[in-house]
Structures are given as C-alpha cells and as structure tokens.
Amino acid sequence: MSQVKVLGELAVLDDVGPPRRGRAYPAAGATSALLLPAAVLLGALVLWPVLRTLHASVTTDGRWVGAQHFRAALAAPGTGAVVGRTVLWAVLVPAVVTALGYLFAVASRRSQEGGLVRLILLVPVALPLVVTGVTFRLMYDPDPTRGVATLLAARLTGRAADDAPQLLGRGLVTVALMSAFVWAWVGLAVLVFRAALDRLPPSLADAVRAYGGGRRHVLWDAQWRPLLLRTVAVVFALVALGTSRTFDLILVMTPGSVRDDATVLALQVWQTSGRTTTGQGAALGVVWLVAVVAGMLVAAFFVRQAWPPPRVEPSPDPAPTTPPRRLFRLLAAGGAVAWLIPLVVLVATSAHGAVDAAARGWWSAPPGTGSYTALLGGDELWRALGFTLLLATVVTATVLLVALLAAYPLAWLTGPAAQATGLLLMAATVVPVQVIAGPVNEVLGAVLSSGTARGLALVHVALGVPFAVLVLRNAFADLPAEQVRGARLGGRRWWGTLHRLARHNLPAVIAVSVLEFVQVWNDLAVGLLFSGPEATPIALLLAGQSRGFVSNSGILAAGSVLASVLPVLLMVVARRQLVAGLVSGGVR
C-alpha cells in the first residue's frame, strides 16, 4: 500500500492484490519482534528440555553410554506389558470412539432431538479427566452396596453380591479405564463428524441416485469416498494421540493395589523420573516421544488431506433432506440417556453426607447437602478455585497475546517453509509434559524458583502457545482476499492490521481462548509436576482427596461437581464458535 498525489489530492493505492500471503507480511524488524516471545518460550521450555532429555538418555554424568539406558529401561520387569498396554490404548480406544462418534453424528442429524443428543455428548468433553476418574470410580466401586455398575453386573451374571465381578480388579481395570475415556471423548468425535457431514454437497447423492444407485451406493460414493474415509482417519489419529494423556484418569480412577496392572507409558515415565532427569526415565521418555511424534506425522498427513471440510456454497433452493430413520433416532436418544448415567451418579453421590456416601449407595439413602456444607464451609476449596480461576485467566490471556503476535507473520509463509512450520508447531503441541519435566524444572530453578505460581503459569503458557499459534496461523491464512485487503488498508501500522485480522477471525480467537482456559482449568499433570504448597489447582486438590477414596467419596463428588460447572458452561455456550474456529483454516 502506498500514497501518491493524483490531481493534487492524496490517494491510497491498494497493492494488496490477490490473496498471496506475502502481500500482508510485516516488515523484517517487526517480524522478529513478533516472533520473539513465542520463540523464547518454546526454545527454553520445550525445545531445550527435549534436547536435554535426549542427551540424558544416552549419557551418564556427561559420559556417552549409547543405548545402555534404553536396554535397562525396556528390560525392567513389567515394561513390556506397559508398552503393550499403551499400544492397545492407541489402537482399540480410537476405533471405538471413531465408530460411536460416526454413528451418533449420523443418527442425530436433522432431527428434533438431535441437538439435545449432541449437547449431552458434549458435556463429558468439558469435564476434567480427574472428575471423569472420580465419576467412574464411584460407578465401578467394588462394593455392590455402593457401586451401581458392580450391582448391575452381579445381577446380570446371576452372582451373589459378595461374588460380584470386580470392574476395578486386575482383570478388568484396563477395560474400565478405557470405558471412561471413551465416554469422555465420543462427543469430540461427534462434533468432527457433524462438521464433515454438513459439508457434504447434496448434489453428490442426487448424482448417485440419478445413475440408479441405491442407499448403499449413496453411502459409499456420496459420503465415504469424498470425505468421510479421511475424516475417520483424522478422528482415529487425534484420539490415538489423546490416549497419551491418560495420566489423570489412571492416577485417580485406579486403586493403588491394581495400578501396576493399568500403568501405561504416561504413568511409567512419571514414576521413573518424576521432577528429575534420570537415564532410564529419559530413555522411556524418548521412546514415548518418538511414538507420539510419529503418530503426529500420520495425523498431519490425513489432516492436510481432509481438514477442514470443503466449503459448500448454499444453493438458492436447497433440496429437502431426509432425517435418519426412526429406529436410528431412538437409538441415538437411548445412547444419550446412557451417557447421562455417570453424571447422575456423580450428582446423586454429591447430594449425600460424607458418612452416607461412604457407607452405602446413593440410591439407598435420602439426599442431603452435608458434603456441600462441609466442603464450602472450609477455605481449602475456595483457595483452590480462586487460584485456578486466576491461573487459567492469566495463562489464557498470555497465550492468546503471544499466539496472535506469532501467527500474524507466520500466516503468510508459503511452500516448504509453511509446511515445516506447521509440523514443528504440531510436534511441540504433542510433546508429553512428563518427558520434559526434569529439564523444565532445571530451567525454572535457574530463572525463577521451582514450585511457584509464576513457574506453573509459565509452563502452561509454553505448552499452550504451539496449538494456539497453529490454529490462529491457519485461520489468518484462510481469510478471503477482500478481508485481508480491508485489514491492510485500514491498519496504518502492523498492530492495526493484526487487530482487524483478529476481528475477522473471531471464532478462531474464541476457540483458542475457550480451549486454553478449559485445558488449564482441567489440568492435573502440569500442576502435579510444577506446583508448590502455595499454588494448588483444583484438579490437584481433588486428586489428593482421592487417596482416601471411600471415606472422601461424598466430598470428592461435591468438589467434582463444583469444579465442572465453569468448563462445562464455557464449552456449551461456545460450542458453535469452537467448531467454526477449528475448521476455519487447514493445516499448512
């Protein structure tokens, strides 16, 4: 954009041109300043810790030992079972989540009850995994007088109450954990499939029918081949990556006596190293990191192929669409009712005093407010809630600011540079925090004091920036040329242009803000690894109370309900902006 004199008057020449990203690129000096905060955070708290872990895995006191730590770690008793269990999680759980997500998405389309079904399925997505663990541990309590699932299993198998199947016993604990994870993640799969199904052009189905195709041909040629096969791959890969974050669920839901039978790499790395850097812990972390990054590369390949779904231009006279068959709609409604049962168990248990909740099932005692009274009467919960609210707010605002500054120059890259940047951001997004906990504590010890609120917030910011930059960068790059031109002409300086671009991408900004806030609010792993006595998030408080689970079950249930209100409200209110923001740009 330049200014020249035309007939004695000052005129503005629009040189933005077509939507070539370089046309809106800021000056070199401004670019360096914009990228500096993100580069410092990721370099100090992600990249260097990863390199430090790699170094520790092949050295001892600075001396090269090669694969010695890898051999020792993999040969340790139980490690083979842990690796196998991790692989099982990464294969079986995504398959179940993908199948259920697709079925629910199809069965709840264009029907009166479909919106309610999707709303019910969305609630578990917003719950902290700590709360999910508490909920299912209440359901699967081995005592049939307290655990409703154990009681039903005993009656269905015709066994006496004393001989009821132990759903949290050695043989079934992994299955029980997987069922909790599936319950929590199916709603996300439904949102992705719904977005894909809504982008399918109706003309494809009409064309297949015009050539004599039946329902089976419409399903394959007008839905699966153009988009849904790749969307299945996207959902499967994303859920598989999500199973690497089962740390919170396993730590809270499994009794200590069977935890070794449910351990996966997410827990094994933490148990081996904790907050320090050890040779065998680093070796296990490298194995896990390589597996996660390899899964990320597979996910990136399919996301680039299939996401976001193609835009469908609305036709002036859209053809009427047929809702799913009545049987499918009834099955979807029945499934949604089943999805409500764990929430009913949690709320019903919280509506009893501590003694009643510990001694008998929620269905056999009158409700009361004893647990809420005991919980709200103390100051421990209020301190944890206040600290978590402040932490999540500060972290979200900082992540959004740093990500906007970095996404602005990165959005206009093209070719290999854009692809490499996208892959690096995705890799930084999926780095497990347990793998880099020791080196990060070393950095915090040198810069701040480890175990402080400032250090905890700094780690959250560093872990949240890659995903936020990725989403915002893609959203900026996907803007129509007219909006880019308007932002460029209206902004006299780069910050004016950035402000206008952010306004045009409000759904992406809202999506990043809500997801980051909910992530920090729900987190246990980062709080467990980096918090101190004066910095206790709500998830860490609940996890600590779960050590005496039976005696604290009423208090735990009440605390879980209170801790879930805010993230659930945010996700429900912003659900449309979340979908629109996440699909506003492809992975480049």
Side-chain angles (χ1 to χ4, degrees):
M1 183 174 65
S2 58
Q3 296 178 343
V4 297
K5 290 282 187 175
V6 178
L7 299 179
E9 298 293 334
L10 191 65
V12 177
L13 299 182
D14 177 11
D15 59 357
V16 174
R20 294 175 61 86
R21 300 179 191 178
R23 298 292 186 135
Y25 203 85
T31 296
S32 301
L34 293 172
L35 293 176
L36 184 61
V40 170
L41 282 168
L42 296 181
L45 295 176
V46 178
L47 178 59
W48 186 88
V50 168
L51 296 177
R52 175 73 176 89
T53 301
L54 290 171
H55 179 264
S57 69
V58 292
T59 60
T60 299
D61 297 328
R63 180 174 52 86
W64 175 268
V65 296
Q68 177 181 327
H69 294 314
F70 289 90
R71 288 194 295 267
L74 295 176
T79 301
V82 170
V83 173
R85 202 175 294 120
T86 305
V87 173
L88 182 64
W89 269 90
V91 174
L92 182 59
V93 171
V96 176
V97 170
T98 302
L100 289 176
Y102 172 73
L103 292 175
F104 273 119
V106 171
S108 61
R109 290 184 75 203
R110 300 184 177 93
S111 60
Q112 294 180 349
E113 65 276 10
L116 181 60
V117 170
R118 292 189 296 275
L119 183 62
I120 292 172
L121 296 176
L122 180 65
V123 172
V125 178
L127 294 180
L129 275 180
V130 171
V131 173
T132 301
V134 169
T135 302
F136 276 79
R137 189 164 176 181
L138 289 171
M139 287 183 57
Y140 294 157
D141 193 301
D143 188 343
T145 62
R146 293 191 303 266
V148 62
T150 307
L151 177 63
L152 291 176
R155 293 184 176 179
L156 290 174
T157 57
R159 299 185 184 182
D162 295 337
D163 193 30
Q166 298 298 299
L167 301 175
L168 292 178
R170 295 187 183 277
L172 295 174
V173 63
T174 297
V175 177
L177 287 164
M178 288 180 176
S179 67
F181 190 89
V182 169
W183 180 79
W185 276 69
V186 161
L188 180 63
V190 171
L191 288 179
V192 176
F193 277 116
R194 176 67 191 277
L197 288 168
D198 288 346
R199 299 304 193 278
L200 286 172
S203 57
L204 288 179
D206 295 338
V208 173
R209 294 190 187 97
Y211 281 93
R215 184 181 294 271
R216 178 174 59 86
H217 299 93
V218 169
L219 178 64
W220 175 251
D221 292 321
Q223 294 186 7
W224 282 93
R225 286 179 61 187
L227 184 61
L228 290 184
L229 275 178
R230 289 174 177 173
T231 305
V232 165
V234 170
V235 174
F236 188 98
L238 294 179
V239 177
L241 289 173
T243 59
S244 66
R245 303 190 177 186
T246 55
F247 179 87
D248 307 19
L249 190 64
I250 296 175
L251 199 63
V252 172
M253 187 172 162
T254 56
S257 58
V258 299
R259 187 162 295 158
D260 290 343
D261 298 276
T263 298
V264 295
L265 282 174
L267 201 63
Q268 184 84 349
V269 172
W270 171 70
Q271 291 173 332
T272 305
S273 294
R275 299 188 181 192
T276 61
T277 304
T278 63
Q280 291 191 28
L284 276 179
V286 169
V287 172
W288 186 22
L289 181 61
V290 169
V292 171
V293 171
M296 179 275 300
L297 292 174
V298 174
F301 172 78
F302 285 109
V303 169
R304 282 176 53 82
Q305 300 272 339
W307 202 254
R311 288 190 178 91
V312 179
E313 298 297 334
S315 58
D317 297 314
T321 55
T322 305
R325 293 180 178 180
R326 181 176 178 82
L327 175 61
F328 292 141
R329 299 203 303 272
L330 290 176
L331 289 176
V337 171
W339 241 248
L340 278 175
I341 292 176
L343 296 175
V344 171
V345 170
L346 179 68
V347 174
T349 304
S350 71
H352 290 82
V355 175
D356 284 340
R360 48 188 170 174
W362 52 268
W363 60 89
S364 58
T369 59
S371 293
Y372 286 101
T373 302
L375 191 62
L376 297 175
D379 58 353
E380 191 176 27
L381 175 71
W382 293 112
R383 283 201 307 269
L385 286 174
F387 173 75
T388 308
L389 179 61
L390 178 62
L391 176 68
T393 303
V394 171
V395 169
T396 301
T398 307
V399 166
L400 186 61
L401 176 61
V402 173
L404 282 170
L405 295 178
Y408 175 46
L410 294 178
W412 320 116
L413 294 177
T414 57
Q419 296 175 5
T421 302
L423 291 176
L424 286 175
L425 289 171
M426 290 189 71
T429 300
V430 300
V431 170
V433 66
Q434 296 93 325
V435 173
I436 59 174
V440 168
N441 271 304
E442 295 174 8
V443 174
L444 293 179
V447 178
L448 303 167
S449 55
S450 184
T452 63
R454 290 179 299 167
L456 180 61
L458 200 59
V459 175
H460 272 300
V461 170
L463 295 176
V465 161
F467 175 78
V469 173
L470 188 66
V471 173
L472 293 174
R473 181 202 74 148
N474 297 342
F476 285 169
D478 201 50
L479 280 176
E482 294 76 11
Q483 292 184 351
V484 175
R485 181 179 294 110
R488 186 73 175 89
L489 292 173
R492 293 179 178 271
R493 297 288 188 272
W494 63 262
W495 52 84
T497 304
L498 174 58
H499 179 259
R500 285 166 172 77
L501 291 174
R503 287 173 56 189
H504 292 317
N505 272 302
L506 196 57
V509 172
I510 293 175
V512 167
S513 302
V514 170
L515 291 176
E516 182 61 30
F517 186 96
V518 171
Q519 168 65 26
V520 176
W521 182 279
N522 292 349
D523 171 76
L524 172 63
V526 177
L528 184 63
L529 291 167
F530 302 105
S531 66
E534 302 302 322
T536 304
I538 185 62
L540 189 58
L541 175 66
L542 295 176
Q545 292 176 341
S546 68
R547 293 169 186 166
F549 193 88
V550 174
S551 59
N552 289 331
S553 56
I555 301 293
L556 261 174
S560 298
V561 170
L562 294 175
S564 303
V565 172
L566 184 56
V568 168
L569 282 177
L570 283 176
M571 291 286 282
V572 169
V573 170
R575 63 188 184 278
R576 290 185 175 85
Q577 287 83 357
L578 286 176
V579 177
L582 292 177
V583 304
S584 60
V587 175
R588 296 176 172 86

